[in-house]
Amino acid sequence: MEVEYGYARIILDERGRLEACDPYGCVSIRIPLGDEVYIEPVPAIARPQQLTGCLYVEFTEPIAFSGGKSSLWFLAPFELAITHKDRIITRVSPTKVKFTVVGDIVDGVVCRYYKSVAGFSRGDITDHVKPGLGFVKVDVEGEAATIPGIGFYVAGLPLYVDNEDFIYYPRVEAGVSEGVVQNKTTTDPPLRGLKVALKGRRYMLLLPSLTQPI
């Protein structure tokens, strides 16, 4: 078995030697002959090492939110988990990794960073999907503001998949007031008809909200 996906490469040979590589190195693991391994999408927090549980996506063009209620769509990276006997044995990143601080240096939060086009519908960004990127829907409510990006916690959350094999993060709720955006990740799929991409695991149901200045 050999799979190449974005910057990730996974090989399982006939002797049970599994090699998983990305821009940050390779891992070799021996698998008992005849055993099955699976490749599944998971939130992008572990490569090259787990420094954070959140993502921050900066928009290529800031969004002018007019107040009230609206929805935004953008793209965020995910990783590939290689599982054996319902256990993740290693992960690889199909995208190159950067980090940023959300907030100030003293009280800010370190998050995985990506820059993405944003729009007001899924169709606005579909042409920009690349290997290792999944859709994110944010329901925004509150005061008028210019939103440069969205940060949100993702550790332990399920990802979803549609019939075309597009990947989706759970829906995010954002509240805008007094110069900050407070973002809360739910476990709800952003669209009807999606299936959980990673089955048979427990997910964290209570995550902190991430407050970012704007």
Side-chain angles (χ1 to χ4, degrees), residues 71-143:
S71 293
L72 302 178
W73 286 82
F74 56 89
L75 299 169
F78 62 85
E79 294 169 350
L80 299 179
I82 296 93
T83 63
H84 171 254
K85 300 296 183 182
D86 292 328
R87 186 176 66 89
I88 295 177
I89 56 175
T90 191
R91 303 185 192 214
V92 288
S93 176
T95 59
K96 291 186 177 180
V97 175
K98 294 183 179 180
F99 294 92
T100 191
V101 175
V102 179
D104 60 42
I105 297 298
V106 176
D107 299 320
V109 179
V110 175
C111 291
R112 174 83 179 270
Y113 171 87
Y114 187 75
K115 194 167 187 176
S116 169
V117 64
F120 296 99
S121 71
R122 178 184 176 280
D124 290 342
I125 61 173
T126 301
D127 291 342
H128 299 273
V129 177
K130 296 186 293 185
L133 297 180
F135 290 102
V136 184
K137 181 187 180 185
V138 183
D139 291 327
V140 187
E141 183 174 0
E143 301 173 359

Side-chain angles (χ1 to χ4, degrees), residues 33-45:
L33 291 178
D35 281 7
E36 296 179 332
V37 295
Y38 296 90
I39 303 170
E40 301 170 315
V42 292
I45 57 170

Side-chain angles (χ1 to χ4, degrees), residues 48-67:
Q49 56 184 319
Q50 187 161 346
L51 299 176
T52 181
C54 62
L55 296 176
Y56 179 77
V57 177
E58 179 186 1
F59 302 150
T60 54
E61 297 175 317
I63 296 294
F65 174 58
S66 56

